[in-house]
């Protein structure tokens, strides 16, 4: 062990010796670590940013504060890299990759949002014509930064290079350093040029844990009524379970989901003169063989496309100056305000403040993301100038939905689940659904018939116990492209002065072949839960399901859903204030506010160079059900409901996708505070937040706190300590739902030469729940009724991450980690993807990024994960030991799994 430590110390010492500071790329904080004064570091930084890059060490003498003695003192600690004007697209691609890595390290992200960012940021804009919404859509560009740019332009000054941005009064360093990569300065460079980009991606990826559990949930006959008290019952039970084993009684088994081909996507983008834009994406998700005799079938084959035109026009004097026009046909995104009325994305991100790395891309933009449930396809037009913005959008698409089913027995005694229609031929629909796999409707119908055969089976034991479900068939099921949805909407905005805006947004979604019907609570319970023995799982959080929107109720019958809202904001010096109010039209007056379900949010952001502070308050009504909303929240809609916690009890496990892939915010109200402060050259209080909120569905009070502090011993070595604490239902210590989750993370990072780094991270988690009385079910005499002691779970995780840049064109990244879950969920941010781990395991992954030539960029990732799954039980009381002795599959032990996945991406510019 001593020899190993000596070798490691030698390696570390050598690494530090190699980590010279590059005067042409170092940040101001890195320059301050040199043995010079802070003023001298500032002078070096400003010379490089505003005068010229360094060509040799002797250029330091051109700086007034740097004398010969100072230059000689630092010459052994610095280096001068050769500066070249790199291709703007290569720079932008590198920055996008860095952005996505930072986004994941901060909060974790989804692949879908990564697609959105990459599409948007690969199309630069001329900063001399960008308006407020264009500027604040750039990562880490705040409202204060945007106003600083606009005010400088209002004085008649034109931006000619990046140094003009940096010298803008009121512009923060973070705003400048991010904005410069996504803008250009001269339209002449874009004239008469065609830019084209083709991307090919192939990847194998296993199901996430929730989706895997959902598909593996067995669809078997009811055996709850059996009581193994007499010997005569045992052979019957053995025979029943033998018969069950012989069938593919889960979606996972029936569709052979363990055998799938990788997902493949082709994406093509083109633009001419930055005016004419065209895009096309063909995407096929995991393809599988539903049955042995059907061969390989594409379960999801979705193409997206757009054609657009963007230009500016000079109006007559006195008519508003320069006007900007956007017009898109095909697929597009529409986003306004704080995302309460309209932000069409399928991907949910927690604590989406609209600041830093959790930005919204405002207005109308083209869409080649993988969003399907909220995709808009049709036409959109946006006209704006410095004072007004006017947007109109129209969409006509087919949507997937969770449909009511009725039982139908054919002449062969097969039990089918048939979609329910009303007297007008309209489908009876429960809700939209964003299915993890969009099965073909005919294949799904055949699978349901197969499962219904098992679910309708009843038996009577010798002791007289009869079994049978209350709902003995699949009474709700997803159907692909079942709803005809037509959307008409728009946005109007007035900007009286720079940085101040008032906006109005609305949309109406019309359905000409479906009606949304959500029953009352008790009827809803019987609709969603298969057996009456699980009715006790129906808890207060399920009120959010009962509050879903209906187009047909006892008081009205309509064919539409309408949402209206107002948003606004202003900037006062270094403080920005923003907010939005939205209302779902139900049975109130559209011209009157406050008489329908509502949601509103207001926030204030204060910005300094080394410090910011955010205060946010949100309040969302329980029955504000807007599928196109993607607002700030701690959890997605339907969290902690039966769709989340009790998939085994559902009439159809696939119903769980309503929660699994929800992009809406849950109904909650409360305050959120966030800050970051560099209070010393060696210490940084990293992103720190405190969220105090109430979940409206059951009035559960929650406090969530996170903070991190970074110590920079010197430039090459940094330590970070992170702490997270969440307490649910903190107001009542005796409440069964109280839990306390704590997470401690220690991170050490070494910055090596040429942007290489080596990092080791250790994380420890605990979850505590207080004592509560646990009654067995059924609560019969003699059963356990004593109070349970405090439950305690813990787990830890250790990882080593590294990056090695072999050359300017070749980069290698990877990680090795081990974890012990002990029923605690661990997560890990790897490359540009978020991974949730199993109970206990080990994994490693690596990514190779290579610019093969000037126009070809390649990225390859490979991952191996070996882990144990959690125990799985068939939920059955009192007979557990007897059934295990009978070798009946009531209990499945942890199973060790090995997953090998890869991702290959090739980008070609021509």
């Amino acid at each position: 062990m001593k020899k190993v430590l000596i070798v490691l110390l030698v390696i570390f010492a050598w690494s530090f010796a190699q980590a010279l500071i590059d005067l042409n790329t170092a940040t101001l904080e890195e320059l301050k670590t040199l043995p010079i004064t802070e003023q001298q570091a500032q002078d070096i930084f400003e010379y490089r940013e505003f005068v010229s890059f360094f060509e040799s060490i002797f250029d330091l003498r051109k700086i007034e504060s740097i004398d010969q003695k100072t230059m000689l003192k630092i010459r052994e600690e610095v280096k001068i890299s050769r500066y070249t004007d790199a291709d703007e697209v290569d720079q932008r691609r590198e920055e996008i990759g860095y952005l996505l890595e930072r986004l994941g390290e901060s909060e974790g992200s989804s692949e879908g949002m990564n697609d959105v960012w990459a599409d948007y940021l690969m199309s630069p804009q001329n900063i001399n014509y960008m308006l407020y919404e264009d500027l604040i859509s750039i990562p880490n560009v705040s409202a204060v930064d945007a106003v600083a740019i606009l005010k400088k332009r209002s004085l008649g000054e034109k931006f000619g290079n990046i140094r003009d941005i940096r010298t803008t009064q009121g512009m923060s360093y973070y705003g400048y350093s991010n904005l410069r990569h996504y803008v250009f300065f001269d339209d002449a460079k874009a004239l008469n040029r065609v830019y084209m980009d083709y991307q090919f991606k192939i990847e194998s990826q296993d199901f996430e844990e929730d989706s895997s559990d959902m598909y593996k949930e067995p669809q078997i006959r009811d055996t709850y009524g059996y009581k193994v008290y007499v010997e005569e019952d045992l052979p019957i039970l053995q025979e029943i379970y033998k018969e069950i084993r012989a069938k593919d009684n889960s979606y996972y088994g029936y569709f052979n989901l363990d055998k799938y081909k990788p997902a493949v996507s082709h994406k093509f983008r083109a633009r001419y003169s930055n005016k004419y834009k065209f895009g096309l994406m063909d995407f096929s998700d995991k393809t599988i063989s539903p049955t042995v005799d059907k061969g390989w079938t594409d379960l999801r084959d979705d193409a997206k496309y757009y054609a657009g035109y963007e230009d500016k026009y000079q109006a007559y004097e006195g008519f508003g100056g320069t006007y900007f026009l956007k017009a898109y046909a095909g697929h597009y995104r529409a986003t306004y305000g704080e995302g309460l009325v309209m932000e069409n994305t399928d991907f949910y991100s927690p604590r989406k403040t609209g600041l830093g790395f959790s930005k919204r891309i405002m207005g109308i933009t083209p869409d080649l993301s993988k969003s399907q449930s909220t995709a808009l396809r049709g036409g959109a037009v946006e006209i704006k100038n410095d004072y007004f913005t006017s947007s109109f959008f129209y969409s006509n698409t087919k949507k997937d939905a969770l449909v009511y089913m009725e039982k139908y027995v054919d002449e062969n005694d097969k039990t089918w689940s048939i979609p329910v229609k009303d007297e007008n031929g309209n489908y009876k629909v429960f809700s939209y659904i964003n299915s993890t796999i969009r099965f073909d409707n005919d294949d799904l119908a055949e699978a349901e018939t197969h499962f219904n055969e098992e679910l309708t089976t009843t038996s009577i034991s010798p002791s007289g116990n009869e079994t049978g479900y209350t709902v003995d068939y699949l009474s709700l099921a997803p159907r692909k492209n079942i709803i005809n949805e037509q959307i008409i909407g728009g946005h109007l905005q007035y900007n009286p002065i720079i940085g101040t805006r008032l906006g109005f947004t609305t949309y109406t979604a019309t359905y000409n072949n479906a009606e949304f019907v959500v029953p009352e609570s008790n009827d809803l319970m019987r609709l969603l839960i298969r057996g009456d023995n699980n009715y006790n799982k129906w808890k207060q959080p399920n009120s959010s399901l009962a509050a879903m929107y209906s187009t047909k109720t006892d008081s009205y019958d309509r064919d539409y859903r309408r949402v209206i809202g107002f948003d606004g904001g202003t900037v006062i010096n270094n403080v920005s204030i923003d907010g939005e109010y939205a209302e779902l039209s139900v049975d109130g007056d559209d011209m009157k506010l406050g008489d329908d379900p509502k949601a509103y949010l207001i926030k204030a952001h204060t910005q300094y160079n080394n410090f910011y502070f955010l205060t946010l308050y949100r309040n969302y009504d329980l029955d504000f059900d807007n599928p196109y909303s993607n607002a700030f929240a701690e959890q997605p809609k339907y969290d902690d409901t039966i769709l989340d916690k009790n998939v085994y009890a559902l009439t159809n496990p696939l119903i769980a996708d309503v929660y699994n892939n929800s992009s809406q915010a849950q109904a909650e109200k409360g305050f959120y505070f966030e800050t970051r402060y560099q209070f010393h050259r060696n210490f940084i209080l990293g992103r720190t937040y405190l969220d105090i909120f109430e979940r409206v569905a059951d009035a559960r009070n929650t406090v969530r706190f996170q903070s991190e502090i970074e110590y920079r011993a010197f430039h090459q070595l940094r330590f970070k300590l992170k702490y997270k604490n969440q307490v649910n239902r903190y107001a009542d210590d005796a409440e069964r739902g109280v839990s306390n989750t704590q997470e401690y993370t220690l991170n050490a990072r070494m910055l090596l030469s040429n942007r290489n780094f080596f990092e080791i991270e250790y994380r420890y988690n605990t979850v505590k729940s207080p004592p509560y009385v646990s009654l067995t079910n059924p609560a019969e005499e003699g059963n356990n009724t004593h109070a349970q002691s405090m439950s305690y779970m813990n787990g830890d995780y250790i990882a080593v991450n590294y990056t090695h840049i072999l050359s300017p064109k070749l980069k290698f990244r990877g990680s090795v980690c081990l974890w012990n879950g002990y029923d605690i969920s661990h997560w890990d941010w790897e490359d540009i993807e978020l991974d949730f781990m199993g109970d206990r395991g080990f994994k490693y992954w690596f990514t190779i990024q290579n610019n093969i030539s000037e126009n070809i960029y390649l990225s390859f990732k490979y991952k191996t994960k070996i882990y144990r799954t959690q125990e799985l039980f068939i939920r059955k009381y009192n007979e557990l030991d007897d059934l295990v002795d009978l070798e009946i599959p009531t209990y499945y032990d942890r199973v060790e799994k090995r997953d090998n996945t890869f991702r290959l991406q090739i980008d070609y510019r021509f």
Side-chain angles (χ1 to χ4, degrees), residues 214-225:
M214 175 184 70
Y215 288 126
K216 291 178 180 178
E217 188 63 42
Q219 305 294 291
I220 61 175
R221 70 195 66 175
D222 181 26
T223 58
Y224 180 80

Side-chain angles (χ1 to χ4, degrees), residues 235-278:
I236 294 178
L237 283 177
Q238 288 175 318
E239 190 63 30
I240 288 174
Y241 277 97
K242 182 179 179 181
E243 183 181 347
I244 289 173
R245 286 196 195 98
K247 300 179 180 180
D248 293 322
N249 286 300
S250 71
Y251 287 97
Y252 196 89
Y254 181 86
F255 285 110
N256 296 326
L257 293 184
D258 57 335
K259 302 174 182 178
Y260 63 86
K261 293 192 296 185
V264 177
S265 66
H266 304 268
K267 186 180 293 186
F268 173 77
R269 289 181 294 253
R271 56 188 171 95
Y272 172 72
S273 186
N274 232 38
K275 293 182 180 179
Y276 304 94
K277 301 185 178 182
F278 172 79

Side-chain angles (χ1 to χ4, degrees), residues 337-340 349-355 358 360 576-580 599-606 612-620 630-634 665-666 668-675 687-694:
E338 300 300 321
L340 286 174
S349 298
R351 294 172 291 281
K352 191 173 184 179
T353 62
L355 301 170
S358 62
R360 292 182 172 85
S576 63
I577 302 172
D578 302 276
E580 184 176 17
Y600 59 91
L601 179 152
I602 187 169
K603 66 184 182 184
H605 178 244
T606 303
Y612 76 81
F613 191 83
L614 170 68
T615 301
L616 181 150
Y617 178 77
R618 78 283 196 186
N619 191 329
Y620 311 146
N630 193 255
F632 175 97
E634 278 289 347
Q666 74 171 356
E668 56 185 45
K669 57 182 178 181
F671 284 94
Y672 174 85
F673 307 96
E674 180 181 309
T675 188
R687 180 171 175 264
T688 298
Y689 64 81
L690 173 66
D691 198 1
I692 307 172
F693 69 97
E694 174 187 303

Side-chain angles (χ1 to χ4, degrees), residues 93-94 96-98 101 803-813 831-832 845-852 856-861 903 905:
R93 181 182 286 112
E94 182 179 348
I96 290 171
Y98 174 70
E101 291 173 22
T803 293
H804 185 47
I805 300 177
L806 300 172
S807 72
K809 300 293 185 180
L810 183 60
K811 180 179 179 181
F812 183 87
R813 301 181 65 236
D831 194 26
I832 58 172
W845 63 267
F846 66 84
T847 299
I848 299 174
Q849 298 171 340
N850 187 15
N851 280 29
I852 298 175
I856 301 178
Y857 173 84
L858 180 145
S859 173
F860 176 77
K861 176 185 175 182
R903 183 189 69 230
Q905 177 177 321

Side-chain angles (χ1 to χ4, degrees), residues 308-322:
Y309 176 77
E310 298 186 20
D311 204 356
K312 59 183 181 296
Y313 299 92
Q314 190 66 39
Y316 293 108
E317 186 174 353
F319 285 87
T322 303

